[in-house]
Amino acid sequence: MKTLLTFVSALMLSQWSLSQPMMVTISDGSKITIDEFIESLASLNEQVEIFSVDSFNLYFEKHLNAYRLAKNLEAVTYDRSVLKVALDQSEYCMKKGYLDHRQPADNKRWASDRCVYYAIETVMEYENLHSCDMRVSVLNEYLSGANYYDALSRVVLRAWQLSPGHNVALLNYGQHFAVGTSRGDDYTMYSCYLLIDN
C-alpha cells in the first residue's frame, strides 16, 4: 500500500497546478481528475478482491490467439484440466515470494512431472512465469476503459511477448493452455502459463 500511495502522490505532484484541479494523464493521452483517479482505483481494488481465474484465462485466450493468428499459427484453447498444473506452480512461487520453474518435490520438480502428477498426458510442455502488482500494472489500461480482466491479460501477455525466451513459449506448437494465478497479501500476482502439446 505504501508503494501505491507513493505512486499516487508522485502523479498528483507531477500534475499539480494552482489554477485548476489536479489532473492525471492516462495512457491514451486523456486527463482525469484526482477524484476520478481515486474512484477508479477503489473500483479496481474491488475487482482484485473478486478475481476469477476463469475470466482472466478467457481474456488471455482471446489476446493470445489474436497474437498467434497474426503469426500464422493455430489457435490454442484454455483447458481447465491444465489449470491445476499451472496453479500448482503459481501457488508455489507465491509462497516462496519469487519465481522458480523448479519445485523441490521429485513428483512436482518440473512442469512435465506436475503434468504426470495431475494425470495430464503430454508430449511437450512450455512454461512461463511472471509476477506483477495486480493494480498498478493495469491502472492505465483500466482507466482508459478496458475492463479489469482485459487490462490484466494484456499486461501479462505483453510482458511475455517482450521477453524473447518467454515469447517462444507463447508461439510454440500446442493445443491447450492455462494461466494459473495466485495472489500474495501485497496484491502481487504470480502467474504460470502452461502450454501443452499432446
Side-chain angles (χ1 to χ4, degrees):
M1 187 65 177
K2 185 176 179 184
T3 303
L4 187 58
L5 289 174
T6 304
F7 172 75
V8 172
S9 299
L11 281 173
M12 289 170 61
L13 289 173
S14 68
Q15 303 297 325
W16 186 73
S17 168
L18 291 175
S19 61
Q20 58 184 336
M22 289 185 278
M23 305 292 285
V24 175
T25 302
I26 57 178
S27 62
D28 66 0
S30 61
K31 294 182 185 253
I32 61 171
T33 67
I34 291 299
D35 288 341
E36 291 170 325
F37 177 86
I38 290 169
E39 282 178 29
S40 294
L41 188 58
S43 172
L44 188 59
N45 284 339
E46 289 173 14
Q47 293 294 315
V48 172
E49 292 299 330
I50 58 169
F51 184 78
S52 162
V53 72
D54 289 318
S55 296
F56 171 82
N57 270 281
L58 292 173
Y59 274 97
F60 191 88
E61 178 182 52
K62 172 186 163 187
H63 298 306
L64 174 61
N65 281 330
Y67 182 52
R68 288 176 62 91
L69 293 172
K71 303 278 188 184
N72 297 315
L73 298 170
E74 291 184 13
V76 293
T77 306
Y78 167 51
D79 185 335
R80 211 158 198 293
S81 65
V82 177
L83 182 61
K84 294 182 281 191
V85 183
L87 275 173
D88 190 300
Q89 193 61 19
S90 68
E91 287 172 11
Y92 173 77
C93 291
M94 185 265 298
K95 288 175 185 168
K96 298 302 273 183
Y98 59 86
L99 301 176
D100 193 344
H101 288 280
R102 195 172 90 158
Q103 290 192 31
D106 286 339
N107 61 345
K108 292 186 177 181
R109 189 166 310 276
W110 301 106
S112 57
D113 300 317
R114 293 188 294 277
C115 286
V116 170
Y117 181 85
Y118 288 103
I120 308 291
E121 292 186 20
T122 67
V123 175
M124 188 63 70
E125 312 80 27
Y126 308 95
E127 183 179 76
N128 284 345
L129 300 176
H130 177 260
S131 66
C132 70
D133 185 301
M134 298 176 78
R135 301 160 305 168
V136 175
S137 298
V138 301
L139 197 54
N140 269 327
E141 292 202 37
Y142 184 72
L143 288 169
S144 299
N147 75 51
Y148 177 65
Y149 298 107
D150 191 19
L152 184 60
S153 62
R154 286 176 191 267
V155 165
V156 174
L157 180 64
R158 190 178 307 123
W160 284 327
Q161 287 172 319
L162 294 173
S163 168
H166 293 98
N167 190 52
V168 167
L170 295 174
L171 301 176
N172 259 311
Y173 180 78
Q175 297 85 22
H176 307 288
F177 85 94
V179 180
T181 60
S182 300
R183 191 190 93 189
D185 292 337
D186 62 352
Y187 289 98
T188 299
M189 182 177 82
Y190 294 85
S191 302
C192 174
Y193 162 82
L194 186 67
L195 174 67
I196 64 165
D197 175 6
N198 58 357

